[in-house]
Amino acid sequence: MLKNLADSIKERINSRVLNQENLTELAITAMFAGGHVLIEGVPGLAKTLWARSLAQLLSVGCKRVQFTSDLMPSDILGTKVFNQQTGQFELRKGPLFTQLFLADEINRTPPKTQSALLEVMEERAITIDGERYAMEDPFFVMATQNPIEYEGTYPLPEALTDRFMMKILVTYPGVAAEKQMLQMYHEGFNPAKQAQDLQPICDVSQIAEARQEIQAVTVDEAVFNYIVSVVETTRRVGAVQFGASPRGSVALLLASKAYAAICGRDFVIPDDVHMLSLPILRHRILLKPEAEIEGITTDQVIESILSQVKAPR
């Protein structure tokens, strides 16, 4: 069931967001696995259109907030206000009370607001004045950050980026796709209207069924060992100051099970782990300063580890 659902989602989104198939495949894998994604890319790559299209297809609520330097935690969480008619305090919900939340340019807001969002991502609940409000299921956060113009930004600390299941790098669509995009706009393409015009293809109950299908995916002992070996090796590489934590191993396992189900399999293969290692581990590794000076990247370190750690047959 999940394979057919995922294929339908990919087909419809990829017809509107051109040549970003990697983003679509990885993000829906994280969503069905119960994780969140951090997307890094320059402005104008249709990240908002992608999020709104997914929400429309899944029949879930979607809200977007542009993160700025003066954004406070209460601006996204909500606050309690006094109702003079009833004589009681009532909750005025913030935009975070939704199912798909797009945090645009999360690195442009102060650490206090970043931490408030990341706490909700982990706890799946919001606490206001001592009262706890559980988030609706599914709850999926897409956060974006701009890799340019670092002046005046608040880069996410490594300990906080670890809350995201994946960090996905989004690049330019390419000449052919960009030309096709121009033709679409020439013919009257409207991003906001196009997302709203999409017909839902599933509901919350079907998403829950898909996650039960993922839970039933089997994992061989050799694949468990492979995941642990890859993650453990990140802690012993000379260029690395701090490697991935056990949360990285868990994320790699859950995402691999989700990806296997999306591919129509009820078992995980080593290729699933290999393919997902970059987006899951790249933001969980802290390089030594001298390695960064030499131009070494975390992606290069992970690719080197994958070439060294022998995958099971």
Side-chain angles (χ1 to χ4, degrees), residues 36 67 71-78 96-97 101 103 106 109-128 133 135 139 141 156-157 160 163-164:
H36 310 283
F67 278 45
L71 194 72
M72 299 299 293
S74 59
D75 293 330
I76 60 171
L77 301 179
L96 197 51
F97 281 87
F101 182 75
I106 190 175
T109 203
K112 190 174 184 180
T113 306
Q114 293 174 352
S115 298
L117 171 62
L118 295 166
E119 181 181 359
V120 177
M121 288 165 50
E122 182 70 15
E123 302 294 333
R124 308 288 170 131
I126 293 175
T127 302
I128 300 176
Y133 303 90
M135 307 304 296
F139 176 62
V141 173
L156 285 172
L160 295 184
R163 303 288 182 181
F164 290 95

Side-chain angles (χ1 to χ4, degrees), residues 97-166:
F97 281 87
T98 188
Q99 291 169 293
L100 197 162
F101 182 75
L102 178 60
D104 217 349
E105 295 192 287
I106 190 175
N107 57 328
R108 294 196 178 278
T109 203
K112 190 174 184 180
T113 306
Q114 293 174 352
S115 298
L117 171 62
L118 295 166
E119 181 181 359
V120 177
M121 288 165 50
E122 182 70 15
E123 302 294 333
R124 308 288 170 131
I126 293 175
T127 302
I128 300 176
D129 291 344
E131 289 192 42
R132 191 174 186 272
Y133 303 90
M135 307 304 296
E136 289 186 68
D137 192 52
F139 176 62
F140 179 53
V141 173
M142 283 181 61
T144 70
Q145 62 180 14
N146 192 338
I148 58 177
E149 300 178 353
Y150 281 111
E151 185 177 352
T153 64
Y154 304 85
L156 285 172
E158 284 75 12
L160 295 184
T161 57
D162 193 49
R163 303 288 182 181
F164 290 95
M165 176 173 276
M166 296 185 190

Side-chain angles (χ1 to χ4, degrees), residues 72-276:
M72 299 299 293
S74 59
D75 293 330
I76 60 171
L77 301 179
T79 186
K80 287 194 173 182
V81 296
F82 185 73
N83 187 326
Q84 292 184 344
Q85 295 180 342
T86 63
Q88 295 179 338
F89 283 93
E90 297 178 351
L91 175 65
R92 181 173 293 171
K93 293 182 178 181
L96 197 51
F97 281 87
T98 188
Q99 291 169 293
L100 197 162
F101 182 75
L102 178 60
D104 217 349
E105 295 192 287
I106 190 175
N107 57 328
R108 294 196 178 278
T109 203
K112 190 174 184 180
T113 306
Q114 293 174 352
S115 298
L117 171 62
L118 295 166
E119 181 181 359
V120 177
M121 288 165 50
E122 182 70 15
E123 302 294 333
R124 308 288 170 131
I126 293 175
T127 302
I128 300 176
D129 291 344
E131 289 192 42
R132 191 174 186 272
Y133 303 90
M135 307 304 296
E136 289 186 68
D137 192 52
F139 176 62
F140 179 53
V141 173
M142 283 181 61
T144 70
Q145 62 180 14
N146 192 338
I148 58 177
E149 300 178 353
Y150 281 111
E151 185 177 352
T153 64
Y154 304 85
L156 285 172
E158 284 75 12
L160 295 184
T161 57
D162 193 49
R163 303 288 182 181
F164 290 95
M165 176 173 276
M166 296 185 190
K167 180 180 180 181
I168 304 172
L169 306 182
V170 180
T171 57
Y172 295 108
V175 174
E178 194 161 349
K179 183 179 178 181
Q180 184 181 348
M181 194 183 307
L182 293 180
Q183 186 65 36
M184 291 167 60
Y185 275 88
H186 174 64
E187 295 172 357
F189 180 83
N190 185 320
K193 187 175 185 301
Q194 287 293 322
Q196 293 173 355
D197 287 346
L198 283 171
Q199 293 299 316
I201 59 176
C202 74
D203 54 26
V204 173
S205 63
Q206 290 172 297
I207 296 174
E209 290 175 8
R211 288 181 170 174
Q212 290 178 356
E213 183 180 332
I214 292 171
Q215 184 63 35
V217 172
T218 60
V219 184
D220 189 80
E221 184 73 20
V223 175
F224 279 123
N225 293 336
Y226 183 47
I227 292 174
V228 173
S229 296
V230 169
V231 175
E232 196 275 332
T233 305
T234 66
R235 305 163 192 162
R236 296 188 284 106
V237 177
V240 175
Q241 186 171 3
F242 296 104
S245 70
R247 187 182 282 126
S249 302
V250 173
L252 198 48
L253 170 66
L254 297 179
S256 297
K257 292 179 66 173
Y259 185 72
I262 287 172
C263 292
R265 287 182 273 104
D266 62 354
F267 56 91
V268 175
I269 60 175
D271 284 350
D272 299 333
V273 179
H274 189 282
M275 192 277 288
L276 293 166

